[in-house]
Amino acid sequence: MNPTNGAAMLSNGYRYYYSQLDAPMQSAYEAMLAGVKNYADTILLNPHFTLYESAISELVRAVKLDNPSVFYLASQYQYSIDGNAIWYKPQYLFDRAALQMMEVQLLDTVDNIVNNAIGWGMSDYDKELALHDYLIRNVAYAADSQWQQNPPEIIYTAYGALVNRQAVCSGFAHALKLLLDRCGIDCLVVTGNSFMPDSTILISHAWNIVNINQHFYHVDATWDAPTNKNPAELFHHYFNLTDQEIAIDHQWQQDVPSCYATEYNYFVHQGLNVADESTLMQWLQYAIGNRNPSLVFKYSGGNSTMDNENLNAMIADSWQQFGYNSLSWSLSFNDRQKIFNVEFSYG
């Protein structure tokens, strides 16, 4: 696919925040987006825009969240009023010559990723999983000491994630939306706060909501990305969660689609969800009896206090019946989402 066709397809991505605006604001949104795509220095929002001046910031936010391909649009802007006319004066992160080349580079990168990751006959779930896994394998989270890109805002964008392969949460979220837009799968960027993994520190955060088979799910590629402790890890802890599940460590305020379905949660869909301790004991005995190297599962046993201590006790009670000289194991545990990874070593 050539860049022109790619750009046309990306421009038709899912525009959730546009859909939440009233008719005058939608007209102003269209005027703003058209001008930004042409790198206009000033954009006339009237006669479309007849509301209040402070709504310009709401429009900028909606355009940026709905359209990750306009990665070069800064949140800062100026405006002027001439009679009844309101002129929006955008700020761009790069000059026109650089932008034209970078846009082609981004769209070529999107095409290459999608063409290599997506095969014929794949379901929307499979496409989402493949693109999620591409991101967490290939994009590094930009730690404080790495925020040296020029301009630094680029790590918040799809360009930073997909071309430079270095981004913060906003870059991960915009990149996943851009890739899913390319596949025709509805996806929006959600902004709010999250507790950092293994921490009580609350930080600003961004993630996605995706529509799979007419049901919405939360997906957070940033928190699924490998950690510095073990860069080979591939997590799906935050792949297609309900509102109730993700609210354990995420907060959001804007009105977004409700997420209540569980069918396409990674652990449910892959058959890795355990609902009670008796089933878990059966799984442990099967894994140990067959000398499986590992066991990964999500525990959804209601009010149970399943944790590392309880799981260690269950493993200790189950292995000696198999006649092994010894068995050692190590556990990693997402306490908030109740996801366990057990690595076994047999003697």
Side-chain angles (χ1 to χ4, degrees), residues 138-149 151-157 160-161 164-172 196 203 222-223 225-226 228:
N138 292 281
V139 181
Y141 187 85
D144 290 346
S145 60
Q146 298 171 316
W147 291 10
Q148 303 300 322
Q149 298 186 44
E153 293 90 344
I154 203 68
I155 60 174
Y156 294 89
T157 70
N164 295 342
R165 296 192 176 188
Q166 188 176 97
V168 292
C169 57
S170 178
F172 276 85
M196 294 183 66
I203 60 172
T222 304
W223 286 165
N228 292 330

Side-chain angles (χ1 to χ4, degrees), residues 175-196:
L176 185 57
K177 174 170 170 53
L178 191 60
L179 293 170
L180 292 176
D181 281 350
R182 175 65 176 75
C183 295
I185 298 173
D186 292 349
C187 178
L188 62 135
V189 176
V190 183
T191 60
N193 299 300
S194 174
F195 291 101
M196 294 183 66

Side-chain angles (χ1 to χ4, degrees), residues 306-317 329-331 342:
M306 181 58 61
D307 55 19
N308 277 357
E309 182 178 354
N310 291 334
L311 184 57
N312 276 319
M314 292 180 71
I315 297 172
D317 288 341
W329 62 91
S330 62
L331 301 179
V342 189

Side-chain angles (χ1 to χ4, degrees), residues 44-84:
L44 177 62
L45 298 182
N46 277 30
H48 315 283
F49 190 67
T50 57
L51 302 177
Y52 44 93
E53 298 162 16
S54 60
I56 298 175
S57 61
E58 182 181 351
L59 286 171
V60 173
R61 179 179 181 275
V63 167
K64 286 172 64 67
L65 290 176
D66 281 345
N67 302 276
S69 59
V70 294
F71 62 90
Y72 47 84
L73 178 63
S75 297
Q76 299 78 21
Y77 62 87
Q78 296 179 328
Y79 70 92
S80 62
I81 301 175
D82 182 7
N84 292 325

Side-chain angles (χ1 to χ4, degrees), residues 53-268:
E53 298 162 16
S54 60
I56 298 175
S57 61
E58 182 181 351
L59 286 171
V60 173
R61 179 179 181 275
V63 167
K64 286 172 64 67
L65 290 176
D66 281 345
N67 302 276
S69 59
V70 294
F71 62 90
Y72 47 84
L73 178 63
S75 297
Q76 299 78 21
Y77 62 87
Q78 296 179 328
Y79 70 92
S80 62
I81 301 175
D82 182 7
N84 292 325
I86 296 180
W87 291 88
Y88 164 65
K89 299 179 180 181
Q91 292 187 24
Y92 301 117
L93 301 179
F94 304 93
D95 61 38
R96 181 187 293 260
L99 282 177
Q100 291 174 328
M101 184 168 55
M102 293 173 74
E103 279 194 289
V104 171
Q105 189 179 18
L106 175 60
L107 297 180
D108 280 348
T109 300
V110 169
D111 281 346
N112 288 335
I113 292 169
V114 171
N115 290 338
N116 286 314
I118 304 303
W120 291 107
M122 291 178 69
S123 67
D124 283 353
Y125 170 89
D126 292 332
K127 293 174 183 177
E128 180 201 3
L129 181 61
L131 295 173
H132 165 279
D133 288 0
Y134 173 87
L135 284 179
I136 65 177
R137 283 192 178 105
N138 292 281
V139 181
Y141 187 85
D144 290 346
S145 60
Q146 298 171 316
W147 291 10
Q148 303 300 322
Q149 298 186 44
N150 187 22
E153 293 90 344
I154 203 68
I155 60 174
Y156 294 89
T157 70
Y159 186 95
L162 298 177
V163 178
N164 295 342
R165 296 192 176 188
Q166 188 176 97
V168 292
C169 57
S170 178
F172 276 85
H174 282 83
L176 185 57
K177 174 170 170 53
L178 191 60
L179 293 170
L180 292 176
D181 281 350
R182 175 65 176 75
C183 295
I185 298 173
D186 292 349
C187 178
L188 62 135
V189 176
V190 183
T191 60
N193 299 300
S194 174
F195 291 101
M196 294 183 66
D198 303 320
S199 171
T200 57
I201 299 174
L202 190 66
I203 60 172
S204 297
H205 194 50
W207 63 98
N208 298 94
I209 288 178
V210 61
N211 184 351
I212 302 295
N213 285 4
Q214 305 306 310
H215 288 101
F216 288 97
Y217 299 86
H218 294 269
V219 55
D220 188 342
T222 304
W223 286 165
D224 277 346
T227 64
N228 292 330
K229 296 178 182 178
N230 187 356
E233 290 175 325
L234 191 65
F235 292 137
H236 299 92
H237 296 187
Y238 295 91
F239 190 88
N240 291 0
L241 273 59
T242 64
D243 288 340
Q244 183 178 2
E245 289 171 324
I246 203 165
I248 293 171
D249 46 22
H250 289 59
Q251 302 172 356
W252 62 99
Q253 294 181 340
Q254 70 264 48
D255 184 19
V256 296
S258 297
C259 303
Y260 54 84
T262 60
E263 179 181 359
Y264 291 103
N265 171 272
Y266 176 82
F267 290 90
V268 172

